[in-house]
Amino acid sequence: MSRRSIPYLLAAVLCALYCAVSVTRQLRFETYGFDLGIFEQGVRGYAAAGAPVSTLKGTGFNLLGDHFSPVLALLAPVYRLFPCAVTLLVAQAVLLAVSVVPVTRLAIEVSGRVGGTLLGTAYGLSWGLWAALEFDFHEVAFAVPAAAFAVEALARDRAVAAACWALPLLLVKEDQGLLVAGVGVYLMARRHRRLGAAVVVTAVLVTAVAVLVVIPAHHPDGRYAYADAGEWDGGDPLSRLLLPGTKWWTVLALLAPTAFLALRSPLVLLAVAPLAARFWAVNPLYWGTRYHYSAVLMPVLFLACADGLRRMGPGWVGRLRLAVPSLALVVAVLALPVPPPGPAGLRVTEARQVLTVIPDGARVAAANELAPQLTSRCTVSLFPRLTPPGTSGPWARPVAEWVAILDRRDAWPDDPAPDAAEQRAALAGLPAAGYREAASGGGITVYRWAG
């Protein structure tokens, strides 16, 4: 097998693995309306040549009012052919697998065929990518391969290619401007001053327009909802940035899979600004290793690892060309996150049959776990939010003809869905609101509004 073919073969194998994991989770009802259902609704809107509206986020809510992610429109043609949530999951698997190619390609040049394949496999199994796979679908999937090709180009001192790969990140999400600006600064430091300055200015301008103009223009309240997370509270800035210890654990978890060799390369500095922004935010969900927040940092760090090994000189490369990739693979396997359990008490085959009583095109208020089973063919909101904000009472004007819920109260999520107490109260009020049971089984119950 030639060196050139190995990265593509490895990417194909990992793509099949990613698809198997993601699609299986969807088939087992282990995905959620927050966020797979939300993104499917947005892509469905683009596919219909309309706005990316998500009723799970709110009545008529345009996703461009949440995050600047026009890149999602690229999925519209594929979604028109295959209109289901699985399309998004497969697309994410392909995008993440494509990022394996540049990482493995550079690793093979540095560590040889075996060492490079081991390091590429370690990257493909790294916890940052795996956490993204296990939390449904996110637009960051587009950022991972673009970042990987951009950083590979930087490692090879291909300035124009690095800029061309980095700039599309600005269309993925507004926070990617930090990584793009970092690429520009790196280019300037490598004496590509004009190109680097142009990349930095473009990153700043596009991010500013997205946050100050585009997102507020589409948000119901005319604002950027995440601005508050970065406001200074007047306390000690160093303490806010560096504490609590969860943040240091995240840094350790990011560097450990590279055997800390990423620190040998200046490319590792590209991860500083995105990570600092997460640590500065007041939301603790950004600080840890769960969810998709570290996915785009994984190609940066693994490519920095390969570059760091190359910078150690021929003698050290000969000694470590297999040891480092082997250690990285062991750490990656040991750090694989444990898959979250599915809804308690759910019998998938029977539950899917029960959901068929809901007709296509119906308006449904569904439990978080049931939403992505319906978003391809129904207008779905999150139970128990049956009425738009500002109505005179919680049941004054129901906007859902159907309700689909889990029978087990302990299976209802606390976040981001409404808490269990609110859901119990809403369930108790269904008969008074005119809803009658239409079907039950498999751990779920479907109600229909009888007026």
Side-chain angles (χ1 to χ4, degrees):
M1 184 184 303
S2 68
R3 288 191 174 195
R4 289 186 176 183
S5 63
I6 291 175
Y8 300 96
L9 178 60
L10 180 59
V13 172
L14 288 169
C15 182
L17 177 61
Y18 296 162
C19 286
V21 171
S22 298
V23 174
T24 298
R25 293 190 65 247
Q26 169 68 3
L27 296 178
R28 291 180 177 176
F29 286 57
E30 295 173 359
T31 54
Y32 300 93
F34 281 71
D35 292 319
L36 177 58
I38 290 173
F39 283 109
E40 185 184 4
Q41 288 180 330
V43 173
R44 186 181 177 188
Y46 280 129
V53 171
S54 173
T55 50
L56 282 165
K57 290 285 289 186
T59 303
F61 191 97
N62 190 319
L63 291 185
L64 289 175
D66 191 35
H67 292 296
F68 183 67
S69 303
V71 71
L72 289 172
L74 294 178
L75 295 177
V78 182
Y79 189 84
R80 283 185 67 91
L81 296 174
F82 307 99
C84 62
V86 169
T87 298
L88 275 67
L89 297 175
V90 172
Q92 176 172 258
V94 171
L95 289 165
L96 295 182
V98 167
S99 73
V100 173
V101 173
V103 175
T104 307
R105 187 161 53 196
L106 184 64
I108 287 176
E109 290 185 12
V110 175
S111 297
R113 184 181 303 177
V114 176
T117 302
L118 291 175
L119 190 61
T121 304
Y123 165 73
L125 297 178
S126 59
W127 63 264
L129 297 188
W130 212 257
L133 285 169
E134 290 189 345
F135 190 47
D136 299 351
F137 172 90
H138 290 88
E139 70 277 86
V140 74
F142 286 94
V144 176
F149 282 105
V151 177
E152 183 202 21
L154 290 178
R156 301 179 187 278
D157 200 26
R158 296 170 54 200
V160 175
C164 290
W165 280 111
L167 289 174
L169 288 167
L170 298 173
L171 302 178
V172 175
K173 196 176 179 182
E174 66 278 2
D175 61 0
Q176 295 304 307
L178 292 171
L179 181 55
V180 177
V183 170
V185 172
Y186 189 94
L187 289 173
M188 294 171 65
R190 294 301 298 267
R191 300 182 180 179
H192 303 286
R193 293 184 178 87
R194 290 185 178 179
L195 180 60
V199 171
V200 172
V201 170
T202 302
V204 172
L205 289 178
V206 173
T207 302
V209 170
V211 171
L212 300 177
V213 180
V214 177
I215 296 177
H218 292 88
H219 192 278
D221 297 331
R223 65 189 182 93
Y224 178 51
Y226 301 93
D228 296 344
E231 290 184 354
W232 186 34
D233 57 5
D236 179 11
L238 283 179
S239 297
R240 174 169 172 172
L241 188 64
L242 302 178
L243 297 176
T246 302
K247 299 174 181 178
W248 288 103
W249 170 252
T250 298
V251 173
L252 177 65
L254 286 167
L255 293 173
T258 71
F260 295 92
L261 206 59
L263 296 173
R264 292 280 304 180
S265 170
L267 292 171
V268 75
L269 296 175
L270 295 172
V272 172
L275 197 58
R278 286 171 52 189
F279 289 174
W280 182 261
V282 295
N283 188 345
L285 291 179
Y286 298 145
W287 306 340
T289 57
R290 293 186 65 190
Y291 307 120
H292 57 288
Y293 302 116
S294 296
V296 75
L297 298 181
M298 303 314 292
V300 175
L301 296 171
F302 273 85
L303 284 162
C305 175
D307 184 58
L309 181 59
R310 179 174 58 183
R311 291 171 180 269
M312 295 187 71
W316 279 103
V317 171
R319 297 186 186 96
L320 300 176
R321 61 188 302 177
L322 289 180
V324 169
S326 298
L327 179 60
L329 181 57
V330 170
V331 173
V333 172
L334 293 177
L336 284 174
V338 178
L346 194 68
R347 298 182 299 280
V348 171
T349 302
E350 190 177 350
R352 185 171 288 109
Q353 183 64 34
V354 170
L355 290 178
T356 61
V357 305
I358 301 175
D360 293 351
R363 294 175 297 173
V364 187
N368 197 19
E369 295 89 341
L370 302 180
Q373 308 296 325
L374 297 165
T375 42
S376 64
R377 62 185 186 89
C378 299
T379 299
V380 183
S381 59
L382 188 66
F383 180 79
R385 297 166 186 167
L386 302 179
T387 57
T391 53
S392 59
W395 306 102
R397 193 158 60 90
V399 297
E401 305 159 304
W402 298 79
V403 171
I405 62 170
L406 299 171
D407 294 338
R408 287 277 298 273
R409 300 289 86 79
D410 57 356
W412 290 352
D414 294 327
D415 184 43
D419 61 37
E422 182 182 354
Q423 298 202 47
R424 290 190 185 95
L427 177 61
L430 286 177
Y435 288 90
R436 301 292 182 265
E437 183 176 319
S440 180
I444 69 173
T445 300
V446 172
Y447 296 86
R448 183 176 185 179
W449 188 52

